[in-house]
Amino acid sequence: MGVAPEHAFALDVDKIRADFPILAKEVHGKPLAYLDNAASSQKPLAVLEAIDHYYRAENANIHRGVHHLSELATKKYEDAREKVRAFINAERASEIIFVRGGTEAINLVASTFGRSRVGEGDEIVITHMEHHSNIVPWQMLCEQTGAKLRVAPIDDRGALIVDEFEALLGERTKMVAVVHVSNALGTINPAEKLVAMAHERGIPVLLDGAQAVPHHAVDVQALDCDFYAFSGHKMFAPTGIGVLYGKQKHLEAMPPYQGGGEMITTVSFEKTEYNVVPHKFEAGTPNIAGTIGLGAAIDYMQAIGLAAIEAYEHDLLDYMTSRMSAIEGVKVIGTAPEKAGVLSFNIEGAHPHDVGTILDREGVAVRAGHHCAQPVMDRFGVPATARASLAFYNTREDVDRLVAATEKVREIFA
Ligand code: C6P
C-alpha cells in the first residue's frame, strides 16, 4: 500500500506540499496528516506572502483615497474581483460581491432577494443534505414572512431523490436553495439539472458551493444559477472572506443588505442614493487583505489546474473509501455515485468524538460531530460521524495513516 500514482495526474504533490509550511508540522510527536479540509484548508506560501506584502507595502483603505497607497490597494482589491469572476466564469466582475464567507452570502440573499419576493403561503425548497447555513437563513425568512420550507429527500446513499425534488416545485415555490457538494456526505448534486428544473417553472436558484470550489472547476454561466455562494478559507485563502455571485439583473433589483459607507452615492437626511453593484452590497471597509489572499489562492489553484486537482482527488477518494470500507466495523455514511472530497464514517462501538481524539493522538486530523448538518445525521440515525476530507496536497500516505489509526481505534473498542 502507499505506492503513490500521484504522477499519473500530473500533480507534483511533493512540490505542492513544500508550499504549505504547516504540513511539515508534527502533532503529538507524529507527522501531521491533515484530513480536515472541508472545515478549513491550509494556506500556501503564495497566499501568506500576498497578505504579508499587502500589509508591508500596500496597506490603505480602498475606493476612498486619492493617494498612491489607496490607489494601489484599490487596484489589488478589484484585480481580485476579476480573478474570482474568471475562476467561476461569471459574465461580469460586478456580479462578484465580497462577503465574510458562504454563510454571509446566503444570509444576504435570504434577507434581500428573499425578503422582497417571498410572502405568506409561499414556499422555499431546499434538500435534506443542507449545511445549517443553507437552512437557518431560509427558516428565518419563513418565520418573518409566513412562507413554508419544503425539504427534498435523500436516499440511503445520500443522493438527492431528484424526482421528489422536482415534485416539490410548484406555483408557490419562490426560491430553491441547494448545496452543490454536501459537506457531511460528499455527494455532488446534479446542479445544472436542478437549476434547469427550477427555471422551467420560473424559480430562481441559489447554489451553496462552499465544498465545490476547492475540488473542481465551477462555471456559473453553464450552471445558469441565479446565485452562487462560497467561502475563501476552504479554498486555500484566509478566513473572513467569501463570495456571493449573483446575476446582474437580480443584484440590481435587490434592496441593499447593510447600510453604511461605500454602498451609497449620496446621503442626505431626506434621501440616500445607493451605489451601483457590486458596491451597493459592500458596506463599510471590506476585508482587503483577505480579498487579495483569495486572489492569490485562485492563482495558485489555477497554476496547478482544476482538472488535475479533480482527477487527483477523485483517485485519492476512491483509495480512501476502499481502504476504510475494508476495515471491519467501519461504516461509511454517504455512498452516492458522484462524490467529492469527503468520507464520513463511524466505527462500531466507538463514539465519533472518541474516534477524532484517538486519531488526533496519531497525528491524523479529522472532524468529528454533526458537521453543522444535523438533519443529515438524523436521516442516517446517528448523532455524529467522523469525517476525513481531502485537498490536493493529501497523499496515499495520509490515507494509510488514517487507516492505521482507525485500526487502533478498533483494537481499543473491540
Ligand atoms: N462547513 C465544515 O466543517 P462558512 O462557515 O461561512 O465558511 O461556510 C459555511 C458552509 C456552508 N455550506 C457548506 C456546504 C459548508 O460546508 C459550510 C462550512 C464547514 O463542513 C464548517 S461547519
Side-chain angles (χ1 to χ4, degrees):
M1 292 295 173
V3 180
E6 281 95 23
H7 306 292
F9 303 103
L11 232 66
D12 187 344
V13 178
D14 285 346
K15 185 164 169 288
I16 288 171
R17 288 180 69 84
D19 290 335
F20 290 80
I22 207 168
L23 296 179
K25 206 176 145 75
E26 291 202 337
V27 171
H28 305 304
K30 310 255 166 67
L32 170 66
Y34 188 77
L35 293 169
D36 194 19
N37 296 285
S40 200
S41 61
Q42 301 302 346
K43 320 303 172 200
L45 281 168
V47 169
L48 305 179
E49 283 164 4
I51 297 166
D52 184 69
H53 180 74
Y54 165 71
Y55 279 124
R56 283 175 194 272
E58 298 162 337
N59 178 50
N61 212 327
I62 56 164
H63 298 142
R64 287 160 171 79
V66 290
H67 59 81
H68 173 73
L69 285 182
S70 176
E71 281 176 3
L72 202 57
T74 303
K75 179 166 180 343
K76 284 291 189 75
Y77 182 83
E78 292 302 331
D79 284 353
R81 199 190 304 278
E82 170 54 28
K83 286 177 191 183
V84 174
R85 184 208 66 72
F87 183 65
I88 58 169
N89 193 34
E91 197 182 335
R92 307 169 204 201
S94 55
E95 294 176 321
I96 306 301
I97 297 166
F98 289 123
V99 289
R100 275 193 301 132
T103 302
E104 187 172 46
I106 299 169
N107 276 278
L108 191 162
V109 177
S111 48
T112 59
F113 188 76
R115 200 64 212 264
S116 59
R117 292 170 66 104
V118 173
E120 189 161 0
D122 287 338
E123 294 180 354
I124 298 165
V125 172
I126 61 168
T127 79
H128 207 121
M129 69 176 94
E130 301 306 320
H131 184 276
H132 297 165
S133 297
N134 205 24
I135 302 173
V136 185
W138 304 113
Q139 253 170 354
M140 288 162 61
L141 180 63
C142 289
E143 273 168 23
Q144 290 155 2
T145 58
K148 258 203 240 140
L149 197 64
R150 307 294 305 271
V151 182
I154 57 178
D155 66 20
D156 291 342
R157 302 165 306 167
L160 181 68
I161 305 175
V162 174
D163 291 349
E164 297 203 25
F165 166 83
E166 189 170 24
L168 286 179
L169 305 177
E171 280 190 356
R172 301 311 307 253
T173 315
K174 288 286 162 15
M175 186 81 208
V176 164
V178 176
V179 74
H180 196 175
V181 175
S182 155
N183 70 316
L185 300 164
T187 309
I188 304 176
N189 274 318
E192 212 171 313
K193 186 169 167 183
L194 304 181
V195 172
M197 283 173 169
H199 281 183
E200 269 169 33
R201 295 154 176 93
I203 306 162
V205 181
L206 174 141
L207 294 176
D208 171 0
Q211 301 291 350
V213 285
H215 303 296
H216 57 80
V218 167
D219 180 334
V220 290
Q221 291 190 71
L223 289 167
D224 197 28
C225 55
D226 298 275
F227 299 98
Y228 198 90
F230 58 97
S231 303
H233 69 98
K234 297 179 198 294
M235 52 172 287
F236 319 102
T239 50
I241 186 68
V243 171
L244 172 66
Y245 157 81
K247 283 185 177 168
Q248 183 87 12
K249 63 175 182 185
H250 294 319
L251 297 178
E252 279 173 3
M254 282 154 62
Y257 180 45
Q258 293 176 332
E262 180 65 16
M263 53 76 72
I264 50 82
T265 49
T266 59
V267 176
S268 72
F269 290 121
E270 288 69 43
K271 181 155 176 60
T272 290
E273 298 284 346
Y274 302 131
N275 207 339
V276 293
V277 295
H279 310 292
K280 182 169 89 176
F281 294 103
E282 293 182 359
T285 301
N287 181 355
I288 305 165
T291 308
I292 291 168
L294 176 61
I298 288 173
D299 288 344
Y300 186 84
M301 289 179 77
Q302 284 179 331
I304 297 173
L306 271 296
I309 289 172
E310 183 179 359
Y312 175 76
E313 289 184 7
H314 194 274
D315 177 75
L316 197 55
L317 181 63
D318 279 354
Y319 178 71
M320 180 158 74
T321 305
S322 69
R323 290 226 54 206
M324 288 295 285
S325 311
I327 303 174
E328 211 193 311
V330 168
K331 182 168 169 25
V332 173
I333 310 239
T335 50
E338 299 293 329
K339 283 187 63 177
V342 163
L343 186 81
S344 263
F345 62 96
N346 276 330
I347 303 178
E348 208 180 299
H351 192 279
H353 284 128
D354 294 331
V355 174
T357 305
I358 296 167
L359 295 190
D360 177 57
R361 301 304 299 184
E362 298 299 315
V364 178
V366 298
R367 183 171 171 187
H370 54 58
H371 316 296
C372 303
Q374 281 181 345
V376 172
M377 301 299 122
D378 293 344
R379 170 66 180 76
F380 287 91
V382 294
T385 70
R387 181 189 68 183
S389 54
L390 299 172
F392 52 72
Y393 44 62
N394 289 122
T395 59
R396 287 192 171 212
E397 198 185 327
D398 289 334
V399 173
D400 294 343
R401 301 261 319 282
L402 169 71
V403 169
T406 302
E407 276 161 352
K408 273 205 174 158
V409 177
R410 278 288 296 157
E411 280 163 25
I412 295 168
F413 287 93

